[in-house]
Amino acid sequence: MIRSNVAELLNSNNFLQEVTLKGWVRTFRANRFIAINDGSTINNIQCVVDFEKTEESILKRITTGAAISVKGTLTESQGKGQTVEIQVSEIEILGDSNPEEYPIQPKKHSFEFLRENAHLRIRTNTFSAVMRVRSALSFAVHKYFVENGFYNFHAPIITGSDAEGAGEMFNVSTLDKMNIPKNEDGEIDYTNDFFGKETNLTVSGQLEAETYAMALGKVYTFGPTFRAENSNTARHLAEFWMIEPEVAFNNLDDNMDLAEDFIKSVISYVLQNCKDDISFLDNRLTQEDKSKPAIERNEMSLIEKLNFVIDNNFKRVSYTEAIDILRNCKPNKKKKFQYIINEWGADLQSEHERYLVEKHFKCPVILFDYPANIKAFYMRLNDDGKTVRAMDVLFPSIGEIVGGSQREERLDVLQQKIAELNIDEKELWWYIDTRKFGTAVHSGFGLGFERLVQFTTGMSNIRDVIPYPRTPQNAEF
Amino acid sequence: MIRSNVAELLNSNNFLQEVTLKGWVRTFRANRFIAINDGSTINNIQCVVDFEKTEESILKRITTGAAISVKGTLTESQGKGQTVEIQVSEIEILGDSNPEEYPIQPKKHSFEFLRENAHLRIRTNTFSAVMRVRSALSFAVHKYFVENGFYNFHAPIITGSDAEGAGEMFNVSTLDKMNIPKNEDGEIDYTNDFFGKETNLTVSGQLEAETYAMALGKVYTFGPTFRAENSNTARHLAEFWMIEPEVAFNNLDDNMDLAEDFIKSVISYVLQNCKDDISFLDNRLTQEDKSKPAIERNEMSLIEKLNFVIDNNFKRVSYTEAIDILRNCKPNKKKKFQYIINEWGADLQSEHERYLVEKHFKCPVILFDYPANIKAFYMRLNDDGKTVRAMDVLFPSIGEIVGGSQREERLDVLQQKIAELNIDEKELWWYIDTRKFGTAVHSGFGLGFERLVQFTTGMSNIRDVIPYPRTPQNAEF
């Protein structure tokens, strides 16, 4: 007999069919009703055991977490809470789960406890829902880009160039740390390292993606990136997945259109394809809110928030306008901000971004045309000589979700900027080549995938939306 | 006017429409015919310039590699080799390409030269075709798994456990190599390293994927993996992408079915969706073959080879049968093999695998039930006590493309094996937990994505199927 899965059976009305199902026990009550889950859906299927015909020794082993195989008949359920159930004729215990030892009990565990058991937390409703949504989002990303004529580009992970300057890097090496070879000047001699030079983990695939966009037209990366920053916060990971589209001939307006359309598309996909998981997470958040003081509660439910993003235009505001708004807003005047905004040129902090999004505009915001000196060297200089064609997409709760720009396509302007910043031009010879040969306007952005998963699932800590989080002092599993 | 792309225009019969197109010049001949490519297809579109009405200074700048924008009318072409062309009314040079300096000339370049210019090689027909096929294969992978009820699982890249033993690892650290801290015993003190312990780049996401399969049922990874092996061959990379499905309740037969169905599905996808690119690569290989001595030529064209894999069952052969065949085959008896097969237990080399696939069975082969002592600790021991439920899928030309197994699900057998191999059980506490709590039969495999791209595109060197290859002494770009 072919093995069925729970999702299929719950949607079946082929009653009286004989079925075989394998999965894990979530609960067993009244020596009669087993709730089985196999990961195919957040929902369990009820399996009804005839305890009088079942050996006592078997019944004792039907415990939370045990793997079992059941054969039986699919029937309409008389009970509340489900439409179908399985009348079990045969049951086999595949793998026991000693209830005295099994860490995941059928009760509420703290997220902190579950992080320490990240190999088992996926067996809970919340984490299985989050990770199914993460998987669906991942597919939605690929689907969106492929359907829109983009090519997936695998950026290198180990990189010999560190010019991007997006953050602190992890060093990659095969040198024996007990015997670091040094040259005559007392410097580290990398000639015997694996790559014959110093290498690091990438902080962004953008520069390489640009080289591909200048031939394939539209490309995107979706891969891991790394920051060796000692940030122990609920929104930073040392290892995270990033999505970076790059499009030849797109200017900053096109880039904003792309970012907005992309985000709306992938969130729509999840709303359509993960109804049960999103509904569970929506309910979870609502319950969590009830235990909070009124002022900390969310104004919208999770589903309302997702629909709000899909249904509304992202407000596009220049940095200069944003500074005006912030300078004159109440929290600034009353010195409620930690960083007071006094003048044009200030770097915006999370508190300012959230004020703009959550209090002032009450919708996702795209800020653009930032001061050149707080942004990266590759961003296109505006005619005013002091701002660059940068953009950040800001979301409620999570802040910056996208950072992007039109790239500086003019060879002379780029070279001047590189010289000003004392970047070694030799490090970037290949990048500069793209401006020498057939250069053109182009734009792109980076979107931190985990922030998108956080937003879509309503999880407040970024460590809870990636299977095995890497953070300072933690690389367990 | 909305910008069109070459692929759309070549498929359009909406003649006399006014179009705008941006792209790069491939060739310019007779001061009249520009072949433009924009990456949307391997094909160029012919743009006809009225040279009498175009300034001499503009005509001079229409050189190979230059980025240009043209406006004009789409018309039926009178010339050979194309059905449509653009009668140009306006032309603008976006970015020059000095023909004296531009490395990519409209002629045949060696793959070695192009590897040194990996940022520009994507502007050639061969590499743009390969990378478009790579992108399509990547999407086909996600599509196959999602449509078959799998969840995408992002395995950690930085790992603190090195028990998998699949190969030499790259160390990841933020310690100052000029001042490695040591403890009282003179050992490296990792407490001040970023993660507080020694960490490496992953060689496989399998062990972590198993923990997820034991809750979500069916999962797959698709991400970068690393081997710090000094292998300077045409089939090894230090950084490569790997696909690793893992399925709860699947035994080895199910695992073979999955591998075969998966490979056939993704190759079919490419044949259907990359017709022009595959046709170009097929032709390229045929031309290349003509310059070879008859004995080295391929028996089948690329397209024939791809269809052959789709249309035929993979031959399933036990290791023991394979040894019998090899021991008695001509090249073994005549000592033509570098490694002579004398007895059961020998590890098979590439020459043996290729003999089985290319000479003996003449089709893809799945070898299974290997001797336990040449395979990894997590593979399920057979009742004979000396073989394990391992499988390798062997392909013509490239050899091993898939390695997998049914996993040892029995706690006691697994622990005994770990003890025998002197692996520290504490390192694997979380992996062992999956056998303690609700263990079940499960299986999975790993497929090296670049080998699949090699097979599908007919490229003989693995460095030519990944954008920026990482190999010993090479991490350029």
Side-chain angles (χ1 to χ4, degrees):
Chain A
M1 202 185 310
I2 289 174
R3 200 166 83 223
S4 302
N5 70 45
V6 174
E8 284 160 20
L9 294 179
L10 290 179
N11 284 313
S12 171
N13 52 10
N14 186 5
F15 298 124
L16 301 183
Q17 67 170 312
E18 289 297 306
V19 299
T20 300
L21 177 72
K22 295 179 180 183
W24 293 272
V25 176
R26 283 296 172 86
T27 56
F28 183 40
R29 64 188 171 81
N31 241 5
R32 193 145 183 234
F33 303 108
I34 317 174
I36 296 189
N37 190 283
D38 66 0
S40 61
T41 156
I42 191 159
N43 301 306
N44 306 324
I45 193 163
Q46 176 161 291
C47 298
V48 186
V49 184
D50 185 342
F51 62 88
E52 292 186 338
K53 291 189 187 158
T54 310
E55 281 178 45
E56 180 70 24
S57 64
I58 294 288
L59 289 174
K60 270 191 180 159
R61 293 166 66 197
I62 306 173
T63 56
T64 297
I68 65 174
S69 173
V70 297
K71 287 185 188 180
T73 314
L74 192 71
T75 58
E76 253 178 301
S77 176
Q78 306 305 317
K80 274 187 189 170
Q82 67 266 333
T83 54
V84 303
E85 61 189 21
I86 297 175
Q87 300 295 332
V88 175
S89 56
E90 268 182 70
I91 184 163
E92 188 192 345
I93 308 292
L94 304 173
D96 289 285
S97 176
N98 182 341
E100 313 275 295
E101 292 179 24
Y102 189 48
I104 309 295
Q105 295 297 318
K107 62 156 198 169
K108 210 174 159 68
H109 293 285
S110 76
F111 286 155
E112 290 75 14
F113 172 80
L114 290 172
R115 258 170 242 149
E116 285 164 17
N117 289 281
H119 62 310
L120 299 175
R121 67 177 178 173
I122 186 62
R123 304 176 180 202
T124 66
N125 283 331
T126 298
F127 284 92
S128 72
V130 167
M131 295 306 167
R132 274 189 296 265
V133 170
R134 181 180 169 105
S135 172
L137 270 174
S138 162
F139 186 65
V141 169
H142 291 294
K143 187 166 178 285
Y144 176 86
F145 285 122
V146 168
E147 287 177 354
N148 285 281
F150 284 72
Y151 301 108
N152 188 201
F153 162 76
H154 288 119
I157 308 298
I158 299 172
T159 174
S161 69
D162 62 353
E164 220 262 338
E168 292 295 309
M169 313 231 280
F170 287 102
N171 189 258
V172 174
S173 176
T174 55
L175 291 179
D176 174 6
K177 280 206 279 294
M178 290 297 279
N179 269 306
I180 296 290
K182 298 197 178 133
N183 65 18
E184 288 175 356
D185 298 335
E187 294 158 341
I188 298 165
D189 178 7
Y190 283 104
T191 52
N192 286 318
D193 206 348
F194 190 90
F195 296 109
K197 62 175 180 177
E198 190 175 4
T199 52
N200 297 295
L201 290 179
T202 185
V203 293
S204 159
Q206 177 202 316
L207 303 192
E208 288 89 354
E210 284 186 55
T211 67
Y212 265 52
M214 298 313 280
L216 297 181
K218 296 165 147 191
V219 300
Y220 74 103
T221 73
F222 186 4
T225 49
F226 305 85
R227 301 283 154 86
E229 272 153 33
N230 199 9
S231 302
N232 251 315
T233 80
R235 54 200 294 277
H236 289 93
L237 291 167
E239 171 182 317
F240 59 100
W241 285 66
M242 186 139 73
I243 296 151
E244 297 182 283
E246 192 70 36
V247 185
F249 312 119
N250 262 13
N251 63 24
L252 193 70
D253 289 326
D254 301 325
N255 206 31
M256 292 188 211
D257 291 345
L258 177 64
E260 183 168 346
D261 190 51
F262 166 70
I263 293 173
K264 287 177 172 177
S265 166
V266 296
I267 292 177
S268 298
Y269 179 90
V270 166
L271 277 174
Q272 281 161 31
N273 290 276
C274 305
K275 287 203 171 76
D276 290 343
D277 290 316
I278 293 290
S279 159
F280 172 86
L281 293 165
D282 180 87
N283 189 47
R284 190 196 76 78
L285 213 59
T286 306
Q287 295 304 320
E288 191 183 79
D289 260 14
K290 284 184 185 158
S291 67
K292 287 182 182 171
I295 192 155
E296 285 177 26
R297 288 181 202 162
N298 288 288
E299 285 178 32
M300 286 188 260
S301 77
L302 178 63
I303 294 175
E304 284 167 350
K305 212 159 59 169
L306 298 180
N307 279 311
F308 183 79
V309 165
I310 294 169
D311 295 337
N312 287 281
N313 292 333
F314 294 8
K315 179 76 185 167
R316 302 180 184 190
V317 185
S318 76
Y319 168 88
T320 303
E321 283 171 76
I323 286 290
D324 277 347
I325 292 165
L326 289 168
R327 200 153 40 181
N328 297 312
C329 76
K330 264 193 191 165
N332 200 57
K333 290 187 167 170
K334 295 196 168 175
K335 303 201 189 298
K336 294 276 158 101
F337 283 148
Q338 201 186 334
Y339 296 88
I340 302 302
I341 299 288
N342 287 317
E343 55 192 15
W344 193 94
D347 206 352
L348 301 187
Q349 305 297 322
S350 187
E351 58 182 341
H352 309 127
E353 295 175 349
R354 292 190 64 166
Y355 174 83
L356 290 169
V357 171
E358 293 167 23
K359 305 293 173 190
H360 190 84
F361 291 110
K362 293 179 186 289
C363 72
V365 171
I366 309 183
L367 290 190
F368 62 93
D369 283 352
Y370 280 82
N373 59 0
I374 59 171
K375 289 289 181 182
F377 75 91
Y378 50 70
M379 297 187 176
R380 194 182 195 281
L381 193 64
N382 279 311
D383 291 343
D384 63 15
K386 62 177 191 173
T387 60
V388 288
R389 301 245 73 192
M391 65 179 227
D392 280 357
V393 180
L394 312 178
F395 259 41
S397 316
I398 52 168
E400 186 198 322
I401 189 165
V402 160
S405 71
Q406 185 174 322
R407 318 307 187 187
E408 183 55 76
E409 87 282 12
R410 296 163 297 184
L411 178 62
D412 53 341
V413 183
L414 184 68
Q415 283 177 316
Q416 196 187 326
K417 189 68 182 252
I418 286 173
E420 278 170 19
L421 295 176
N422 287 319
I423 301 170
D424 186 357
E425 204 173 295
K426 270 182 269 163
E427 286 276 311
L428 286 173
W429 68 275
W430 49 274
Y431 185 70
I432 292 168
D433 262 8
T434 59
R435 274 62 175 177
K436 277 188 189 155
F437 306 116
T439 191
V441 164
H442 62 288
S443 300
F445 60 81
L447 179 145
F449 183 58
E450 280 72 20
R451 298 232 175 126
L452 181 63
V453 182
Q454 269 193 282
F455 182 76
T456 311
T457 59
M459 298 298 281
S460 57
N461 194 315
I462 200 165
R463 296 163 201 219
D464 296 332
V465 300
I466 188 167
Y468 293 106
R470 268 66 181 115
T471 51
Q473 298 294 309
N474 174 41
E476 195 56 75
F477 307 102
Chain B
M1 201 185 313
I2 289 174
R3 199 167 84 224
S4 302
N5 70 45
V6 174
E8 284 160 19
L9 294 179
L10 290 179
N11 285 315
S12 172
N13 53 9
N14 185 7
F15 299 124
L16 301 182
Q17 67 169 313
E18 290 295 306
V19 299
T20 299
L21 177 72
K22 295 180 180 182
W24 293 274
V25 176
R26 282 294 172 88
T27 57
F28 183 41
R29 63 188 172 82
N31 242 4
R32 195 145 179 231
F33 302 107
I34 318 174
I36 296 189
N37 189 284
D38 66 359
S40 61
T41 156
I42 191 158
N43 301 308
N44 306 323
I45 193 163
Q46 175 159 291
C47 298
V48 186
V49 183
D50 185 341
F51 62 88
E52 291 185 339
K53 291 190 185 156
T54 310
E55 279 178 46
E56 181 70 22
S57 64
I58 294 289
L59 289 174
K60 271 189 182 161
R61 293 168 65 197
I62 305 174
T63 57
T64 298
I68 66 174
S69 172
V70 297
K71 288 186 187 179
T73 315
L74 191 71
T75 59
E76 253 179 300
S77 175
Q78 307 305 314
K80 275 188 188 167
Q82 66 267 333
T83 53
V84 304
E85 60 189 20
I86 298 174
Q87 300 296 331
V88 176
S89 56
E90 268 183 70
I91 185 164
E92 187 191 346
I93 310 290
L94 304 173
D96 289 287
S97 174
N98 183 341
E100 315 273 297
E101 292 179 23
Y102 188 50
I104 309 295
Q105 294 298 316
K107 62 156 198 170
K108 209 173 161 67
H109 293 284
S110 76
F111 286 155
E112 290 75 16
F113 171 81
L114 290 172
R115 260 169 240 149
E116 286 163 16
N117 289 281
H119 62 309
L120 300 176
R121 68 177 178 174
I122 186 62
R123 302 176 181 202
T124 67
N125 283 331
T126 299
F127 284 92
S128 71
V130 167
M131 295 307 168
R132 274 188 297 265
V133 171
R134 183 183 168 104
S135 172
L137 270 174
S138 161
F139 186 65
V141 169
H142 291 293
K143 188 168 177 287
Y144 176 85
F145 285 121
V146 168
E147 287 178 355
N148 285 281
F150 285 73
Y151 302 107
N152 188 200
F153 162 75
H154 287 120
I157 309 299
I158 298 172
T159 172
S161 69
D162 62 354
E164 218 265 336
E168 292 294 309
M169 312 230 280
F170 287 102
N171 189 258
V172 174
S173 175
T174 55
L175 291 179
D176 176 5
K177 281 207 279 296
M178 292 297 279
N179 271 304
I180 297 289
K182 297 195 178 134
N183 64 20
E184 289 175 355
D185 299 334
E187 295 157 340
I188 298 165
D189 178 7
Y190 284 104
T191 51
N192 286 319
D193 206 348
F194 190 89
F195 296 109
K197 63 175 179 175
E198 190 175 3
T199 52
N200 297 295
L201 291 179
T202 184
V203 293
S204 160
Q206 175 201 317
L207 303 192
E208 288 89 354
E210 284 186 54
T211 66
Y212 265 50
M214 297 314 280
L216 296 181
K218 297 165 147 190
V219 301
Y220 73 104
T221 72
F222 186 3
T225 50
F226 306 84
R227 301 283 154 86
E229 272 153 31
N230 199 8
S231 302
N232 251 314
T233 80
R235 53 199 296 274
H236 290 93
L237 291 167
E239 171 182 315
F240 59 99
W241 285 66
M242 187 140 72
I243 296 152
E244 297 182 282
E246 192 71 36
V247 185
F249 312 118
N250 263 12
N251 63 25
L252 193 69
D253 289 326
D254 301 326
N255 206 32
M256 292 189 211
D257 292 344
L258 177 65
E260 184 168 345
D261 189 53
F262 166 69
I263 293 174
K264 287 178 172 176
S265 165
V266 296
I267 291 179
S268 298
Y269 179 90
V270 166
L271 277 174
Q272 282 162 30
N273 289 276
C274 305
K275 287 203 173 75
D276 291 345
D277 290 316
I278 292 291
S279 158
F280 172 86
L281 292 166
D282 180 86
N283 190 46
R284 189 196 77 77
L285 214 59
T286 306
Q287 295 303 319
E288 191 183 78
D289 261 14
K290 285 184 184 159
S291 67
K292 288 182 182 170
I295 193 154
E296 286 177 25
R297 289 180 201 160
N298 289 289
E299 286 179 31
M300 286 188 258
S301 77
L302 177 63
I303 293 175
E304 284 167 352
K305 212 160 57 171
L306 299 180
N307 279 312
F308 183 79
V309 165
I310 294 169
D311 294 338
N312 288 280
N313 292 332
F314 293 9
K315 179 77 184 166
R316 302 181 185 190
V317 185
S318 77
Y319 168 88
T320 303
E321 283 170 75
I323 286 289
D324 276 347
I325 293 165
L326 289 168
R327 202 153 39 179
N328 298 312
C329 75
K330 264 192 192 167
N332 199 56
K333 291 186 166 173
K334 295 194 169 177
K335 303 201 189 299
K336 294 276 157 102
F337 283 148
Q338 204 187 333
Y339 297 88
I340 303 302
I341 299 287
N342 287 317
E343 55 191 15
W344 194 94
D347 206 353
L348 301 188
Q349 306 297 322
S350 187
E351 55 181 344
H352 310 127
E353 296 175 347
R354 293 190 62 168
Y355 174 81
L356 291 169
V357 170
E358 292 167 24
K359 305 293 173 189
H360 188 85
F361 291 109
K362 292 179 186 290
C363 73
V365 170
I366 309 184
L367 290 189
F368 63 90
D369 282 353
Y370 281 80
N373 60 358
I374 59 171
K375 289 290 181 183
F377 75 92
Y378 49 71
M379 297 188 178
R380 194 183 196 280
L381 192 65
N382 278 311
D383 290 344
D384 63 16
K386 62 177 192 171
T387 61
V388 288
R389 301 246 72 191
M391 67 180 222
D392 280 358
V393 181
L394 311 178
F395 259 41
S397 314
I398 52 168
E400 185 198 321
I401 190 165
V402 160
S405 70
Q406 185 175 322
R407 318 306 188 187
E408 184 55 75
E409 87 282 10
R410 295 163 297 184
L411 178 63
D412 53 342
V413 183
L414 183 69
Q415 282 178 317
Q416 196 186 325
K417 189 67 182 254
I418 287 174
E420 278 169 20
L421 295 176
N422 287 317
I423 301 170
D424 186 359
E425 205 174 296
K426 269 182 270 162
E427 286 277 309
L428 287 174
W429 68 275
W430 48 274
Y431 185 69
I432 292 168
D433 262 7
T434 58
R435 275 62 173 175
K436 277 189 190 155
F437 305 116
T439 190
V441 164
H442 61 290
S443 300
F445 61 81
L447 180 146
F449 184 59
E450 280 73 19
R451 297 232 176 127
L452 181 65
V453 182
Q454 269 193 283
F455 181 77
T456 312
T457 59
M459 298 297 281
S460 57
N461 194 315
I462 201 165
R463 296 164 201 219
D464 296 333
V465 299
I466 189 168
Y468 294 106
R470 268 67 180 113
T471 51
Q473 298 294 309
N474 175 40
E476 195 56 75
F477 309 102

